[in-house]
Amino acid sequence: MNHGAHEVLDVHEVLSGAVGTMNEYMMLRSHVKDQELRDILDRQYQFMQQEYNTTLDCFQSGQDPAVPTQSYKMKQDNDFIYGLTPTQPKKPMQSTSEINDAFISGAMLGSMKSTASMKTMAALESTNPVVRRVLADSIPNCIEMAYELSIYQNKHHYYQVPQFPQQDMQQMMQSYAPATGAPGNMSTH
């Protein structure tokens, strides 16, 4: 039993969150209208299922998992549409008949963001080195899946990306300079 209590609770949260996310994907799948979103959902579900099994394997055994952590590869390019276009104000749904691809992709994105946070917190305090490495190696996959969903949402104008005016953008980007020198004046107590 080479797990600390904190790690056991955190990994329990990660595994429970993974089950919840996969259940959410399964529940939402029948409501998806867009084939591209269905493809994303299916690919992400399959990937999450394998990653869940890998995490469960090393958590239960404390050893290297039979199937190591894989790398998720999205199909989309990295193009974002910048700027805002007028849309209807958002408000809570009044009926499940209002479930649409904007809601579904947003729910998926929210789950990925939550999963990335949970895995990061768990990896920071895992005492078992194999579990820590599996969790840490899976965080970039959450980031990639969230990024894929944000690109999908942006393309369909569900996720808009405002920008500062050019002058403000330049000022913000130029407000730092490179660090130089050595820490020679630091105390050595």
Side-chain angles (χ1 to χ4, degrees):
M1 293 304 295
N2 57 350
H3 299 296
H6 198 93
E7 173 185 353
V8 169
L9 294 173
D10 281 351
V11 175
H12 184 273
E13 282 291 308
V14 166
L15 294 171
S16 178
V19 167
T21 298
M22 287 185 285
N23 288 345
E24 179 183 48
Y25 274 47
M26 185 69 66
M27 186 177 67
L28 293 172
R29 189 179 190 284
S30 65
H31 297 281
V32 174
K33 308 259 186 311
D34 183 37
Q35 183 56 46
E36 181 185 9
L37 182 57
R38 183 174 288 116
D39 180 56
I40 292 169
L41 185 147
D42 289 344
R43 283 186 297 104
Q44 289 191 0
Y45 183 92
Q46 288 297 320
F47 190 88
M48 280 187 280
Q49 192 173 51
Q50 180 55 63
E51 200 163 71
Y52 166 84
N53 288 334
T54 293
T55 306
L56 180 63
D57 181 2
C58 72
F59 181 57
Q60 290 180 337
S61 72
Q63 306 296 313
D64 283 339
V67 177
T69 308
Q70 310 293 308
S71 289
Y72 184 79
K73 303 285 188 233
M74 65 180 196
K75 288 184 176 178
Q76 279 79 349
D77 55 28
N78 296 318
D79 294 337
F80 267 89
I81 301 165
Y82 292 94
L84 299 176
T85 57
T87 59
Q88 289 295 316
K90 291 179 178 31
K91 62 180 182 179
M93 286 186 242
Q94 302 301 303
S95 158
T96 56
S97 67
E98 295 178 58
I99 293 175
N100 58 25
D101 291 341
F103 167 79
I104 293 167
S105 57
M108 292 166 66
L109 177 57
S111 290
M112 275 307 116
K113 290 165 72 172
S114 175
T115 300
S117 294
M118 278 192 292
K119 287 182 178 181
T120 300
M121 294 302 289
L124 294 173
E125 298 192 58
S126 287
T127 52
N128 180 289
V130 176
V131 171
R132 187 199 64 75
R133 180 179 40 78
V134 166
L135 288 170
D137 287 351
S138 71
I139 295 164
N141 294 321
C142 297
I143 295 168
E144 197 74 1
M145 287 188 268
Y147 189 57
E148 178 178 43
L149 289 162
S150 67
I151 291 169
Y152 171 84
Q153 284 205 308
N154 176 256
K155 181 167 75 173
H156 295 278
H157 304 288
Y158 308 148
Y159 181 100
Q160 297 194 44
V161 182
Q163 286 187 308
F164 290 119
Q166 186 67 27
Q167 180 180 341
D168 294 352
M169 192 78 83
Q170 284 301 316
Q171 185 173 341
M172 292 295 289
M173 291 170 59
Q174 302 303 321
S175 61
Y176 296 92
T180 58
N185 295 333
M186 292 179 68
S187 175
T188 58
H189 296 50

